[in-house]
Amino acid sequence: AGALAAILVESRPLAFAAVAISGMLAAVSAATVPALVPSLLDDERLPAANAALGIAQDGAMALGALAAGIALSASTAVVALVADLGTFFVAAMLYWGIRARPARAVRKEASDDTGIRAGFRYLLRSPTLLVVIGAFGMATIATGLTNATLPRLLDEHLGLGTGGYGFGLAALAAGLTAGQALVGFTRVGPGAGRWIGTGLAFMAAFFVALAFTQHVPTALLLLALIGLVDGTTDVLFDTIVQREADPRYYGRIFGLSSVFMTTTMMGAVAAAPLVNKLGPPREVIFVAGVALLGASVIALVGTRPP
């Protein structure tokens, strides 16, 4: 609504401020939605629920981007923002009807268990959560470098032209959706954390293969396979946190992990132009694969059974 008002009064600073606030609220939502899921379902249904949420979110994002492109081409930003505002209203009404139950019984919360510092202390006392979040943080460095380098790789080196990035993202999105659906139909046991390390190792191998391939169909297949494995690890990450963490700390753990992974992702994106100046895109993708291999080692060592 603030962005719509800014467009109507032709205030660019107000428009940027509205988008910034929207981004902040989106970050809050990213932490609270997975924290809400355990209060709606039993533990055994968490993987399927997280998979369904991931598929819905990625599908809606793809459809929303397409609809925005059509709306902006056929009409104006005002029409697009009015439609956007309507979707938020519908979402608010749907959330309003949710009646959550207590996730599971916990002891009475003490006064020193509140606040973000308590979340840090709890995370430091939880080796499995700490290792998984650290591994995902290293993985986002690799994906950030790749996202910033992929257009150059697909355009200049594989000859797909300016539309190559779109084809690459489509392959990634298809694999991501398939991976999330695969976990949704799978019974996830207590050893799911081991697959995260194994999955990151597979992704590292796919990245290295992508760095050396000269064949366009093979490159698109590798991107789809990267998305497939990434989709499984994303769902398992949410499931592990929901199963391992104390329900009182869900919001803080998801919030801290989101901040950490977003920071590493944006740091990698910011460093990508410098890295791309130092070497060709194939070398950058190769470095990303090595970073993923390091993340897989951390996850495998940190989640091994006692």
Side-chain angles (χ1 to χ4, degrees), residues 30-125:
T32 54
V33 169
L36 172 68
V37 172
S39 65
L40 302 175
L41 298 166
D42 297 328
D43 280 1
E44 63 182 19
R45 297 183 180 180
L46 291 179
N50 291 325
L53 278 173
I55 293 171
Q57 178 177 321
D58 292 333
M61 187 179 298
L63 291 176
L66 177 62
I70 295 173
L72 291 173
S73 299
S75 58
T76 64
V78 172
V79 175
L81 285 171
V82 169
D84 197 22
L85 186 59
T87 64
F88 279 107
F89 177 78
V90 172
M93 293 300 99
L94 292 172
Y95 272 109
W96 191 264
I98 292 178
R99 294 293 179 266
R101 59 177 173 76
R104 51 180 183 260
V106 295
R107 65 178 177 82
K108 186 177 180 181
E109 188 168 339
S111 59
D112 61 348
D113 285 336
T114 60
I116 195 68
R117 287 183 296 177
F120 273 115
R121 291 195 298 269
Y122 178 79
L123 189 58
L124 292 174
R125 298 195 304 267

Side-chain angles (χ1 to χ4, degrees), residues 126-207:
S126 307
T128 300
L129 296 177
L130 198 61
V131 165
V132 171
I133 292 173
F136 266 78
M138 282 195 66
T140 55
I141 295 176
T143 53
L145 282 173
T146 303
N147 283 338
T149 308
L150 200 57
R152 186 178 166 207
L153 176 72
L154 296 174
D155 182 5
E156 298 178 9
H157 290 260
L158 293 178
L160 282 174
T162 55
Y165 188 53
F167 294 126
L169 283 183
L172 274 170
L176 193 67
T177 303
Q180 292 167 337
L182 181 64
V183 178
F185 289 106
T186 304
R187 184 177 181 84
V188 178
R194 300 292 291 170
W195 167 248
I196 289 181
T198 305
L200 291 175
F202 274 112
M203 288 178 65
F206 294 147
F207 269 81

Side-chain angles (χ1 to χ4, degrees), residues 137 139-145 147 260-270:
T140 55
I141 295 176
T143 53
L145 282 173
N147 283 338
F260 179 58
M261 285 184 272
T262 301
T263 302
T264 53
M265 169 72 79
M266 296 311 297
V269 171

Side-chain angles (χ1 to χ4, degrees), residues 239-262:
T239 304
I240 288 171
V241 174
Q242 291 162 351
R243 286 179 171 177
E244 294 286 335
D246 188 321
R248 294 171 299 159
Y249 295 94
Y250 279 156
R252 280 169 279 191
I253 297 301
F254 279 115
L256 289 171
S257 64
S258 178
V259 168
F260 179 58
M261 285 184 272
T262 301

